Amino acid sequence: KESQRLGAGAVNMWRKVLEDFTFSDGTFVPKGNLIAVANFAMHHDEENYSDALSFDGFRFSKMREKELEGYSKHQMVTLSDEYIVFGYGKHACPGRFFAVNELKALFVHTLLNYDVAFMDDGPRPAHCWFNLSVAPDPWVSRYFSSGFLETIEKKRKG
């Protein structure tokens, strides 16, 4: 969830305005315009997350520990107005449960079967922006090994 918080792109929850609308502060949005929520700003705001610009893999785990037993708004699939990667309200992503389970399965498979590292043992690559989307720099060299080639090389050498 923390990786998703830091790398979710600039905006989310796009909506087309179906009729002229004026917000309570006087902001006018004409019919036909597209609007969206600035989730990058929300997810990097110190008022919402302490040390918001830093990665803390246990951030949401710590938040869950502080809550009462049972319901937690800090689960990966739980909707809240503070974490909107999967949308919010009646138009929230219905596939979020499937998507999160697939991500967990992929993550576990990768951890159990591969050695993964950056070629230069460096830190996480800087963000690479394309339009309103963000991802780690795709040109950074990565090392993935299943151990298979190393096993063959050891047998061959003797």
Side-chain angles (χ1 to χ4, degrees):
K1 187 169 182 173
E2 179 72 349
S3 294
Q4 195 176 29
R5 180 186 74 83
L6 289 174
V11 294
N12 194 9
M13 298 188 344
W14 290 90
R15 300 293 184 264
K16 183 175 183 176
V17 180
L18 300 178
E19 57 186 53
D20 290 350
F21 185 82
T22 303
F23 287 93
S24 60
D25 69 351
T27 303
F28 175 74
V29 184
K31 176 182 177 178
N33 277 19
L34 292 176
I35 60 173
V37 177
N39 65 305
F40 185 87
M42 288 176 63
H43 295 160
H44 291 78
D45 188 341
E46 291 287 332
E47 288 186 27
N48 295 329
Y49 301 99
S50 62
D51 199 18
L53 298 177
S54 297
F55 178 84
D56 176 1
F58 291 100
R59 180 184 308 271
F60 292 98
S61 176
K62 293 173 194 171
M63 290 175 166
R64 284 192 300 271
E65 288 174 0
K66 291 178 183 175
E67 292 182 348
L68 299 174
E69 244 178 83
Y71 172 79
S72 175
K73 70 177 186 178
H74 301 297
Q75 296 292 337
M76 183 81 168
V77 295
T78 305
L79 302 175
S80 82
D81 58 358
E82 299 164 357
Y83 186 83
I84 59 167
V85 174
F86 287 117
Y88 190 66
K90 68 181 182 179
H91 297 291
C93 177
R96 66 187 183 275
F97 303 97
F98 177 74
V100 167
N101 283 330
E102 290 295 302
L103 284 171
K104 289 177 183 178
L106 176 66
F107 188 67
V108 168
H109 177 79
T110 302
L111 285 176
L112 291 175
N113 295 294
Y114 297 93
D115 294 324
V116 182
F118 296 116
M119 293 302 280
D120 60 357
D121 286 328
R124 180 192 182 279
H127 284 323
C128 181
W129 284 90
F130 177 75
N131 199 356
L132 297 173
S133 300
V134 64
D137 185 349
W139 303 112
V140 171
S141 296
R142 294 158 179 89
Y143 171 79
F144 287 87
S145 170
S146 65
F148 179 73
L149 295 176
E150 289 84 351
T151 302
I152 291 176
E153 187 66 26
K154 285 179 186 176
K155 287 183 180 180
R156 191 168 57 101
K157 287 183 176 179

